[in-house]
Amino acid sequence: DTGVSQDPRHKITKRGQNVTFRCDPISEHNRLYWYRQTLGQGPEFLTYFQNEAQLEKSRLLSDRFSAERPKGSFSTLEIQRTEQGDSAMYLCASSLKLAGEDTQYFGPGTRLTVL
Amino acid sequence: GENVEQHPSTLSVQEGDSAVIKCTYSDSASNYFPWYKQELGKRPQLIIDIRSNVGEKKDQRIAVTLNKTAKHFSLHITETQPEDSAVYFCAASISYNNDMRFGAGTRLTVKP
């Protein structure tokens, strides 16, 4: 499968614990995005990278959230001191930014449940 | 920032009928408008997109129209089939700023 992959697919944690998710983009894609999706809603933008540089973060993103893409390939999203409100599907997407072209392809997501 | 509204939230049609989903956006600088289909428990999949330099784009049974003046765009599915049943999301972004905003989604049910 040469698409976007995410690990783990499901994560159950207790409130207050830290969690880390991984995203592997399509290999030649230089942009990587993180979204959060709750039931009945569309994906909500969190942050994105171009290569290893984090270019934008949503103002809605709590300082408990941090994302990295150290070598411009895979990315990790860490949530510290999880809260029940963090329960959601966390989606990763990647794209190849070219002039006039920037289609985003999504991964299968990581479903987080905070007890 | 950009705000995308999508209507209706649910849509039920008979197999073979057409389905239309509409979205409006607020930022006149937005110039890229994709549509994603998401089946239950699966990832959003791009089905069609349109850029602001064209008014309409068609791919087999799916078409998207864009009215830049009114800041709205629509998805049209003709000859619907049960496998078209899913949640459809519209989105808008300014291509240089990839803060892509999604609509809340439309749950389409195609009855056989």
Side-chain angles (χ1 to χ4, degrees):
Chain A
D1 185 358
T2 56
V4 179
S5 61
Q6 293 185 246
D7 183 70
R9 296 292 305 276
H10 303 274
K11 178 70 177 180
I12 299 174
T13 191
K14 292 183 179 179
R15 189 175 53 187
Q17 297 294 304
N18 299 342
V19 294
T20 300
F21 310 142
R22 176 177 170 128
C23 171
D24 286 89
I26 294 171
S27 60
E28 67 269 24
H29 283 187
N30 54 359
R31 286 198 169 178
L32 186 149
Y33 311 80
W34 285 100
Y35 293 87
R36 176 171 59 195
Q37 186 177 27
T38 54
L39 197 61
Q41 297 297 315
E44 176 189 28
F45 171 81
L46 295 179
T47 188
Y48 90 95
F49 294 83
Q50 178 154 318
N51 301 314
E52 66 276 10
Q54 188 172 18
L55 296 188
E56 188 170 349
K57 290 175 63 174
S58 169
R59 284 170 292 193
L60 302 175
L61 199 63
S62 159
D63 58 8
R64 296 183 296 105
F65 287 68
S66 62
E68 294 183 344
R69 194 184 184 198
K71 296 182 180 179
S73 56
F74 73 91
S75 175
T76 57
L77 177 68
E78 180 182 17
I79 309 174
Q80 296 181 326
R81 305 181 302 281
T82 52
E83 302 173 356
Q84 288 185 326
D86 296 332
S87 295
M89 176 74 84
Y90 289 84
L91 291 164
C92 174
S94 71
S95 71
L96 177 60
K97 178 60 178 175
L98 297 173
E101 180 64 48
D102 194 16
T103 301
Q104 296 185 27
Y105 297 89
F106 282 86
T110 294
R111 182 170 295 283
L112 173 65
T113 302
V114 181
L115 302 176
Chain B
E2 177 64 275
N3 182 49
V4 178
E5 294 191 355
Q6 183 172 347
H7 300 279
S9 57
T10 60
L11 179 60
S12 181
V13 299
Q14 288 295 135
E15 183 177 0
D17 288 350
S18 295
V20 181
I21 303 170
K22 299 181 179 181
C23 288
T24 60
Y25 61 99
S26 60
D27 191 337
S28 57
S30 290
N31 61 2
Y32 176 62
F33 308 94
W35 286 88
Y36 286 85
K37 175 183 179 182
Q38 188 173 31
E39 297 177 67
L40 189 63
K42 296 191 176 181
R43 72 188 76 189
Q45 298 231 330
L46 180 75
I47 55 171
I48 195 167
D49 57 12
I50 192 167
R51 299 181 191 277
S52 59
N53 56 346
V54 297
E56 184 174 0
K57 184 176 178 180
K58 189 173 181 180
D59 182 4
Q60 299 182 345
R61 297 186 296 110
I62 295 173
V64 57
T65 58
L66 171 64
N67 183 327
K68 289 174 58 181
T69 303
K71 291 188 284 189
H72 67 70
F73 56 113
S74 300
L75 178 71
H76 305 253
I77 306 174
T78 59
E79 300 171 23
T80 53
Q81 301 167 2
E83 51 265 40
D84 294 330
S85 297
V87 179
Y88 291 81
F89 293 100
C90 63
S93 74
I94 305 168
S95 62
Y96 64 83
N97 168 5
N98 281 270
D99 181 358
M100 191 155 71
R101 299 298 178 96
F102 283 79
T106 297
R107 180 173 298 281
L108 173 65
T109 303
V110 180
K111 299 177 183 177

